[in-house]
Amino acid sequence: MISAEAFLQRNPVVLQTANEPESGSVSSLDEAEDSARSMSNDSGHAGGMITGTTRRRGMTSWNARSAGNAGADDPSDVDACREAALRLLDAAPRSSGALRDRLLGKGYAEDVVEGVIERLIAVHLINDLDYAQSVVRVCANRMMGRRGTMMELARKGVDRVLATQVVNEAEQNGVFEEAAWELGRRVARKTEGLDRQVRQRRFWAAGGRKGHNPSILREVAAELLH
C-alpha cells in the first residue's frame, strides 16, 4: 500500500492563485469570445442583407402597385377608363348617363369617357332602352305611379326623352293603374276595422309618396276604402 507521502511525491499538486486561470482556460475563453464576435458579425451582416432584401422587395411591390394604379390618375388613359367602366357594370347594371357621371367623377376626360361609352354601347354592354324598361318593372312591383317612376328613372341617369317614352308605354298598358289598385288592396287589408277617414288618409299618403295620379287614387279609395 502506497503512503500519502509517496503519492504526493509522484503527483505534485500545483497550487493556483486566485487570479491565475487554469491551464487552457485563457485560450478557451479567447476562443469563445472570438466565436461570439464572429457569430455577432455574421448575424449582423446577414441581418443587413435580409433587411436590404426585404426593403428592396417592398419597394418593388410598391412600385408595381403604383404602376398598376397610375392610369387612374391620368384623365386621358382610355384603357384605365374602360376598366373602370367594366368594373362598375360588373357591380350593377347602369344607364349610359349614370356610367358617364361616375367616370367623369373619377376624373377621366369627357372625350375619353364618351369614347368608352360609345364602344360599350356598340358591343351591347350598355342598352339604355332595356335598362329603362327594367326600372319601370321594378317600380311597378313597388306599386309606384307615373310620377314616382319618372323620378326614379331620372335618379338612375336615364335620358328624359327615353324615360318619357317608356313611361308612356307603361301607362298605356295600364301598369300604373294596376299598381295603384294593388296599393289600395294592400292598405285596405292592413287598415281593416279602422275608421274610413283614417283608412283613406293612409292610402292617400302612401299613394302620394309613390307618385300616383290623384284621379286614380280617388277611384281606388272610393271602391276599396268605403
Side-chain angles (χ1 to χ4, degrees):
M1 181 175 181
I2 187 171
S3 65
E5 290 80 358
F7 177 83
L8 290 174
Q9 287 177 355
R10 294 180 183 179
N11 300 281
V13 176
V14 179
L15 298 177
Q16 298 173 333
T17 63
N19 296 327
E20 183 180 358
E22 294 181 358
S23 176
S25 296
V26 173
S27 61
S28 297
L29 180 60
D30 289 342
E31 290 173 359
E33 290 177 347
D34 290 342
S35 177
R37 281 194 296 270
S38 176
M39 291 175 64
S40 176
N41 290 337
D42 291 343
S43 175
H45 181 61
M49 290 178 65
I50 292 172
T51 302
T53 302
T54 303
R55 192 172 299 156
R56 285 194 297 273
R57 287 176 181 171
M59 292 176 66
T60 301
S61 176
W62 183 86
N63 289 335
R65 289 195 300 270
S66 297
N69 293 331
D73 297 326
D74 183 359
S76 61
D77 192 331
V78 177
D79 290 337
C81 183
R82 182 170 56 250
E83 287 299 320
L86 291 173
R87 284 195 297 270
L88 288 168
L89 291 174
D90 186 56
R94 300 172 195 272
S95 66
S96 61
L99 185 61
R100 180 181 295 106
D101 290 343
R102 289 296 300 273
L103 294 174
L104 290 174
K106 288 178 177 291
Y108 293 106
E110 186 173 356
D111 59 332
V112 172
V113 171
E114 291 300 330
V116 167
I117 289 178
E118 287 177 5
R119 177 57 181 165
L120 293 174
I121 291 174
V123 297
H124 307 294
L125 290 179
I126 298 177
N127 188 316
D128 281 347
L129 176 59
D130 288 349
Y131 179 77
Q133 290 173 338
S134 71
V135 172
V136 170
R137 287 193 294 271
V138 171
C139 289
N141 289 334
R142 293 167 58 189
M143 298 171 291
M144 295 175 66
R146 176 190 173 95
R147 180 169 53 85
T149 302
M150 283 292 295
M151 292 175 63
E152 185 69 5
L153 287 165
R155 188 179 71 83
K156 290 183 175 295
V158 176
D159 177 75
R160 185 169 183 81
V161 173
L162 177 59
T164 301
Q165 174 188 329
V166 295
V167 165
N168 285 343
E169 182 180 349
E171 189 171 42
Q172 291 170 5
N173 292 330
V175 171
F176 303 126
E177 183 176 355
E178 176 56 32
W181 281 96
E182 178 59 29
L183 178 63
R185 288 189 287 268
R186 182 167 299 187
V187 172
R189 288 194 299 270
K190 290 184 176 181
T191 61
E192 187 174 3
L194 298 180
D195 181 76
R196 175 175 175 270
Q197 290 185 346
V198 173
R199 303 179 77 194
Q200 290 193 352
R201 186 166 58 246
R202 292 187 181 180
F203 172 67
W204 275 92
R209 287 194 301 271
K210 291 182 178 293
H212 281 286
N213 189 310
S215 62
I216 185 63
L217 292 180
R218 280 193 294 269
E219 182 180 346
V220 172
E223 179 69 24
L224 299 179
L225 302 168
H226 46 73

